mmCIF file of all heavy atoms in Angstrom:
data_model
loop_
_atom_site.group_PDB
_atom_site.id
_atom_site.type_symbol
_atom_site.label_atom_id
_atom_site.label_comp_id
_atom_site.label_asym_id
_atom_site.label_seq_id
_atom_site.Cartn_x
_atom_site.Cartn_y
_atom_site.Cartn_z
ATOM 1 N N ASN B 15 33.989 16.186 23.641
ATOM 2 C CA ASN B 15 32.656 16.271 23.147
ATOM 3 C C ASN B 15 31.940 14.930 23.535
ATOM 4 O O ASN B 15 32.101 13.878 22.830
ATOM 5 C CB ASN B 15 32.802 16.378 21.584
ATOM 6 C CG ASN B 15 31.323 16.727 21.032
ATOM 7 O OD1 ASN B 15 30.355 16.447 21.746
ATOM 8 N ND2 ASN B 15 31.333 17.182 19.807
ATOM 9 N N ALA B 16 31.051 14.985 24.435
ATOM 10 C CA ALA B 16 30.400 13.687 24.903
ATOM 11 C C ALA B 16 29.215 13.281 24.144
ATOM 12 O O ALA B 16 28.741 12.198 24.122
ATOM 13 C CB ALA B 16 30.124 13.809 26.357
ATOM 14 N N GLY B 17 28.632 14.308 23.329
ATOM 15 C CA GLY B 17 27.411 13.954 22.588
ATOM 16 C C GLY B 17 26.259 14.031 23.528
ATOM 17 O O GLY B 17 26.052 15.002 24.141
ATOM 18 N N VAL B 18 25.383 12.899 23.505
ATOM 19 C CA VAL B 18 24.293 12.782 24.327
ATOM 20 C C VAL B 18 24.467 11.822 25.457
ATOM 21 O O VAL B 18 24.944 10.783 25.290
ATOM 22 C CB VAL B 18 22.963 12.356 23.604
ATOM 23 C CG1 VAL B 18 21.840 12.294 24.504
ATOM 24 C CG2 VAL B 18 22.640 13.248 22.380
ATOM 25 N N THR B 19 24.363 12.423 26.698
ATOM 26 C CA THR B 19 24.598 11.592 27.946
ATOM 27 C C THR B 19 23.367 11.337 28.726
ATOM 28 O O THR B 19 22.468 12.263 28.700
ATOM 29 C CB THR B 19 25.657 12.231 28.908
ATOM 30 O OG1 THR B 19 25.255 13.557 29.211
ATOM 31 C CG2 THR B 19 27.025 12.302 28.043
ATOM 32 N N ALA B 38 21.393 15.104 28.788
ATOM 33 C CA ALA B 38 22.143 16.351 28.466
ATOM 34 C C ALA B 38 22.866 16.104 27.203
ATOM 35 O O ALA B 38 23.343 15.065 26.793
ATOM 36 C CB ALA B 38 23.178 16.775 29.609
ATOM 37 N N GLN B 39 22.922 17.252 26.302
ATOM 38 C CA GLN B 39 23.707 17.283 25.129
ATOM 39 C C GLN B 39 24.666 18.397 24.970
ATOM 40 O O GLN B 39 24.316 19.496 25.488
ATOM 41 C CB GLN B 39 22.795 17.098 23.851
ATOM 42 C CG GLN B 39 21.647 18.245 23.826
ATOM 43 C CD GLN B 39 22.096 19.348 23.087
ATOM 44 O OE1 GLN B 39 23.081 19.580 22.334
ATOM 45 N NE2 GLN B 39 21.199 20.400 23.208
ATOM 46 N N ASP B 40 25.815 18.152 24.404
ATOM 47 C CA ASP B 40 26.679 19.342 24.304
ATOM 48 C C ASP B 40 27.033 19.688 22.833
ATOM 49 O O ASP B 40 28.059 20.161 22.399
ATOM 50 C CB ASP B 40 28.021 18.884 24.945
ATOM 51 C CG ASP B 40 28.777 17.687 24.416
ATOM 52 O OD1 ASP B 40 28.227 17.220 23.438
ATOM 53 O OD2 ASP B 40 29.727 17.366 24.931
ATOM 54 N N MET B 41 26.045 19.535 21.847
ATOM 55 C CA MET B 41 26.294 19.692 20.532
ATOM 56 C C MET B 41 25.523 21.017 20.016
ATOM 57 O O MET B 41 25.344 21.139 18.854
ATOM 58 C CB MET B 41 25.667 18.476 19.777
ATOM 59 C CG MET B 41 26.520 17.188 19.884
ATOM 60 S SD MET B 41 25.893 15.737 19.176
ATOM 61 C CE MET B 41 24.520 15.429 20.208
ATOM 62 N N ARG B 86 20.692 22.593 27.025
ATOM 63 C CA ARG B 86 21.444 21.420 27.036
ATOM 64 C C ARG B 86 20.582 20.284 27.595
ATOM 65 O O ARG B 86 20.909 19.088 27.259
ATOM 66 C CB ARG B 86 22.665 21.628 27.874
ATOM 67 C CG ARG B 86 23.662 22.534 27.404
ATOM 68 C CD ARG B 86 24.849 22.506 28.204
ATOM 69 N NE ARG B 86 25.528 21.223 28.271
ATOM 70 C CZ ARG B 86 25.468 20.371 29.362
ATOM 71 N NH1 ARG B 86 24.957 20.802 30.506
ATOM 72 N NH2 ARG B 86 26.141 19.289 29.429
ATOM 73 N N SER B 107 18.853 14.085 20.413
ATOM 74 C CA SER B 107 18.950 15.562 20.133
ATOM 75 C C SER B 107 19.130 15.712 18.721
ATOM 76 O O SER B 107 19.715 14.750 18.005
ATOM 77 C CB SER B 107 19.930 16.297 20.925
ATOM 78 O OG SER B 107 21.255 15.944 20.626
ATOM 79 N N PHE B 119 20.701 12.326 17.104
ATOM 80 C CA PHE B 119 21.819 11.637 17.834
ATOM 81 C C PHE B 119 21.315 11.197 19.275
ATOM 82 O O PHE B 119 20.587 11.803 19.956
ATOM 83 C CB PHE B 119 22.953 12.742 18.145
ATOM 84 C CG PHE B 119 23.554 13.178 16.732
ATOM 85 C CD1 PHE B 119 22.937 14.197 16.069
ATOM 86 C CD2 PHE B 119 24.792 12.650 16.412
ATOM 87 C CE1 PHE B 119 23.630 14.692 14.982
ATOM 88 C CE2 PHE B 119 25.219 13.070 15.300
ATOM 89 C CZ PHE B 119 24.724 14.116 14.507
ATOM 90 N N PHE B 120 21.704 9.922 19.524
ATOM 91 C CA PHE B 120 21.076 9.156 20.613
ATOM 92 C C PHE B 120 22.030 8.996 21.567
ATOM 93 O O PHE B 120 23.211 8.819 21.472
ATOM 94 C CB PHE B 120 20.503 7.813 20.168
ATOM 95 C CG PHE B 120 19.202 7.949 19.374
ATOM 96 C CD1 PHE B 120 19.230 8.294 18.056
ATOM 97 C CD2 PHE B 120 18.057 7.603 19.888
ATOM 98 C CE1 PHE B 120 18.071 8.328 17.328
ATOM 99 C CE2 PHE B 120 16.794 7.770 19.278
ATOM 100 C CZ PHE B 120 16.861 8.092 17.984
ATOM 101 N N GLY B 121 21.517 8.987 22.948
ATOM 102 C CA GLY B 121 22.290 8.579 24.091
ATOM 103 C C GLY B 121 22.404 7.078 24.244
ATOM 104 O O GLY B 121 21.663 6.362 23.413
#
Side-chain angles (χ1 to χ4, degrees):
Chain B
N15 190 344
V18 180
T19 57
Q39 53 90 11
D40 62 2
M41 295 174 283
R86 290 185 63 248
S107 71
F119 294 81
F120 285 81

